[in-house]
Amino acid sequence: MSTLDPPDSFLFSLSTTLCTPFAVFIQLQVRSLLGMLICLTLAFGWACAAYVRNREIKRMKGSMKCGNSFAFLCHDIMELEHSNQVNLPRVSVVMPLKGFGEHNLHNWRTQITSLYGGPLEFLFVLKDEVDAKIVVAGLSTTCSQKIHNQLVGVDKMHKDSKYVLFLDDDVRLHPGSIGALTTEMEKNPDIFIQTGYPLDLPSGSLGSYCIYEYHMPCSMGFATGGRTFFLWGGCMMMHADDFRLDRYGVVSGLRDGGYSDDMTLAAISGAHKRLITSPPVAVFPHPLASDLSFSRYWNYLRKQTFVLESYLTKVNWIMNRALFTTHCYLSWGLVTPYLMAMVHVTAALRMYIKGYSIEETTFTFGGLTLVGCLAVCTIVELLSMWNLTRIEVHLCNMLSPEAPKLSLASYNWGLVFIAILVDNFLYPISAFRSHFTQSINWSGIRYHLKEGKIFKIERSKDMGPIYTDLGGKHLGKKGAPPKLSFLSSLARSLAQWHQPKKYDS
């Protein structure tokens, strides 16, 4: 009879301990009653989101069969008649810019060449001056730089603009996106904000897959086909008069200490019971930077958890605390069973490799049963995530028929699984750090919060990273021109935009 090595003895004892009635009860609480519920709930939510997106695909295909070759632009081809186009309301697009990256020029072109027949105004808002002035916002002093840029853009928009569309500069619009958002606003004047959500295209690094995994649970909240409680700051269409008249305190709420544009506006919407909607076509390809390192992912995660430390009212603070607690509990509740499963699997492998008998090891197979249940739930979850991604890729290809085709083949689902574990393990750590520091360094600017609002902003040339956001934007040194001139490329795109469109009736 062989003698157990001390490490093996400890491993088998640990595996056996995890199979005692009390340990099994704990595991069942974490996995069967919580962990498995998390996996299956996510799978169900993604299945519902896939149904909504797929319904839009079927509607577009049906419209094409009926002779509407421009179904990617509008439901009814008669809407493209000149008599209808000239009556469309004016829309001002406000897009804060910072830096120049690998995907920016393509994104800006898709936005500028949007097939919207009504009056359309683009306001590119820069923090610092460049070769030619577009709109220079200057430095923020009472709120985040992004919010400051947005408010300056709103202040400069055309006096006849009925709607304002806030876009991040890494958003890739479809040709009919602005028209689809405007149509919904015209149909229902009660809509306070129209929003959408990005479809992340991982670049291959673990950091990019962690970003993709982080966004996927939220995607189901934007795939309702209508009313939603979620809001994404990368795409928000609102009534211009809400800003001109400071209705519901949108301007003051953002300007006076605001850190996150979408969280602040969502809080205002909730407080005043205003309507937020997300049309099913509002899903936008979001290619992640090819050099998106793990440290950049961590910085982004810190930014996302720091958002929960900002608030407008006491009710908003309570909701953020509830979200903070729930997310942290569920994140580690999802990761813990996998750690237990590793113990059971390792013990079984050691018993097989070393040739130990069950009598020697006191090993039980109850742990492997739990591992099997965990594996089944994980497979169901990943299949549901894959299916939603597949449908969203198909929808994006239909909405942008002339753009390069997106493909699901580039997704590495092994890395997706690893990203699930890494992201959920790190989220509580990031959340607690944000809570106890009440400050964050984002794009070389350090923001400090007090009672949920920004009260101090620090800037230093040596403070922050030279990279920002997720789209590969290299900020470099001030005054250093990019290899490809942004303004010359932008001018060419504007010239193309003003040319007659082949889709005009």
Side-chain angles (χ1 to χ4, degrees):
M1 182 179 290
S2 59
T3 304
L4 292 177
D5 295 334
D8 290 338
S9 178
F10 171 77
L11 179 63
F12 294 130
S13 298
L14 179 59
S15 179
T16 303
T17 301
L18 292 177
C19 290
T20 61
F22 177 74
V24 169
F25 171 76
I26 296 299
Q27 291 183 74
L28 287 175
Q29 291 296 311
V30 174
R31 171 47 47 192
S32 296
L33 300 181
L34 177 61
M36 288 184 183
L37 183 61
I38 295 173
C39 287
L40 297 178
T41 299
L42 287 173
F44 177 76
W46 286 325
C48 293
Y51 171 78
V52 172
R53 303 291 192 194
N54 195 46
R55 185 176 59 190
E56 185 64 20
I57 291 174
K58 291 180 179 179
R59 184 204 61 77
M60 290 175 61
K61 288 181 177 179
S63 183
M64 289 177 181
K65 288 181 180 179
C66 294
N68 181 9
S69 57
F70 300 111
F72 65 96
L73 293 178
C74 57
H75 296 183
D76 185 0
I77 195 171
M78 299 303 294
E79 294 178 10
L80 296 178
E81 290 287 341
H82 179 71
S83 57
N84 292 324
Q85 296 287 300
V86 295
N87 293 322
L88 290 174
R90 177 178 289 274
V91 177
S92 290
V93 181
V94 175
M95 181 165 47
L97 304 182
K98 177 185 283 189
F100 183 87
E102 57 188 298
H103 302 304
N104 292 112
L105 181 58
H106 177 72
N107 295 335
W108 296 334
R109 280 175 175 164
T110 66
Q111 293 157 356
I112 293 172
T113 57
S114 174
L115 300 179
Y116 178 71
L120 194 60
E121 171 189 33
F122 282 85
L123 297 166
F124 294 89
V125 187
L126 307 173
K127 180 185 72 173
D128 300 309
E129 290 195 65
V130 290
D131 296 338
K133 183 163 61 176
I134 302 176
V135 176
V136 181
L139 302 180
S140 63
T141 57
T142 63
C143 57
S144 69
Q145 186 64 51
K146 179 184 179 182
I147 289 177
H148 174 72
N149 291 355
Q150 290 172 326
L151 293 179
V152 170
V154 167
D155 187 58
K156 300 292 184 180
M157 68 182 172
H158 195 279
K159 62 181 179 62
D160 294 330
S161 290
K162 186 175 182 180
Y163 302 113
V164 56
L165 174 61
F166 297 104
L167 289 178
D168 284 353
D169 62 349
D170 56 357
V171 172
R172 239 157 95 177
L173 290 183
H174 305 292
S177 294
I178 296 179
L181 294 171
T182 306
T183 298
E184 293 299 318
M185 296 288 281
E186 289 288 282
K187 286 181 180 178
N188 186 359
D190 291 333
I191 294 177
F192 180 52
I193 307 175
Q194 280 244 86
T195 188
Y197 205 61
L199 168 61
D200 288 325
L201 306 174
S203 58
S205 66
L206 178 59
S208 67
Y209 278 99
C210 286
I211 296 293
Y212 163 75
E213 188 282 329
Y214 178 84
H215 284 158
M216 280 304 290
C218 298
S219 65
M220 65 184 72
F222 290 86
T224 61
R227 177 187 292 269
T228 181
F229 297 102
F230 292 80
L231 182 60
W232 177 51
C235 174
M236 302 184 298
M237 178 173 278
M238 302 181 64
H239 294 270
D241 281 345
D242 287 349
F243 287 88
R244 294 190 183 101
L245 305 176
D246 193 17
R247 287 179 182 150
Y248 318 112
V250 292
V251 174
S252 54
L254 290 168
R255 181 193 59 215
D256 302 335
Y259 171 72
S260 170
D261 53 339
D262 47 14
M263 290 291 284
T264 301
L265 290 173
I268 292 174
S269 174
H272 295 275
K273 296 180 172 55
R274 306 306 300 164
L275 178 62
I276 300 176
T277 65
S278 181
V281 295
V283 53
F284 309 108
H286 185 218
L288 299 174
S290 58
D291 58 349
L292 205 160
S293 62
F294 194 78
S295 60
R296 289 177 66 189
Y297 152 71
W298 170 250
N299 189 234
Y300 176 77
L301 184 62
R302 283 273 291 113
K303 177 177 180 284
Q304 297 304 107
T305 56
F306 186 71
V307 164
L308 294 180
E309 301 303 316
S310 62
Y311 56 89
L312 278 178
T313 63
K314 188 67 174 180
V315 173
N316 190 206
W317 176 84
I318 293 173
M319 293 180 64
N320 285 359
R321 291 302 93 205
L323 184 59
F324 172 96
T325 304
T326 302
H327 201 156
C328 289
Y329 178 67
L330 294 179
S331 291
W332 275 353
L334 183 66
V335 172
T336 301
Y338 289 99
L339 300 178
M340 296 178 176
M342 289 175 59
V343 173
H344 294 308
V345 172
T346 304
L349 290 175
R350 292 294 294 174
M351 185 180 72
Y352 174 77
I353 294 172
K354 290 285 189 176
Y356 295 130
S357 65
I358 297 179
E359 291 77 12
E360 286 180 290
T361 61
T362 65
F363 179 80
T364 64
F365 290 95
L368 294 182
T369 302
L370 294 174
V371 172
C373 294
L374 176 60
V376 170
C377 290
T378 302
I379 292 173
V380 172
E381 178 187 11
L382 289 174
L383 283 174
S384 185
M385 185 187 295
W386 167 83
N387 184 54
L388 175 58
T389 306
R390 176 185 65 86
I391 289 175
E392 289 187 337
V393 164
H394 188 192
L395 178 59
C396 287
N397 286 334
M398 292 189 68
L399 291 171
S400 295
E402 295 186 355
K405 297 300 180 184
L406 307 179
S407 173
L408 201 64
S410 61
Y411 285 76
N412 185 325
W413 295 98
L415 278 179
V416 171
F417 171 68
I418 295 174
I420 291 174
L421 300 182
V422 171
D423 184 63
N424 283 283
F425 176 76
L426 291 178
Y427 183 90
I429 298 175
S430 175
F432 278 102
R433 182 175 176 184
S434 297
H435 178 69
F436 288 108
T437 60
Q438 292 290 298
S439 68
I440 190 173
N441 178 3
W442 182 249
S443 303
I445 306 173
R446 180 165 291 279
Y447 299 102
H448 299 265
L449 293 182
K450 184 177 181 181
E451 296 181 351
K453 297 182 181 296
I454 292 177
F455 80 101
K456 183 180 179 182
I457 301 175
E458 295 178 330
R459 291 181 173 86
S460 172
K461 293 182 179 179
D462 303 323
M463 179 180 292
I466 59 175
Y467 291 97
T468 182
D469 299 327
L470 308 175
K473 290 181 284 185
H474 191 290
L475 300 184
K477 295 181 180 179
K478 183 176 181 179
K483 293 181 181 179
L484 178 63
S485 172
F486 153 63
L487 288 173
S488 61
S489 300
L490 186 60
R492 286 198 300 270
S493 297
L494 283 169
Q496 295 172 1
W497 172 54
H498 283 295
Q499 295 299 319
K501 301 182 179 70
K502 65 179 180 179
Y503 300 106
D504 288 345
S505 299

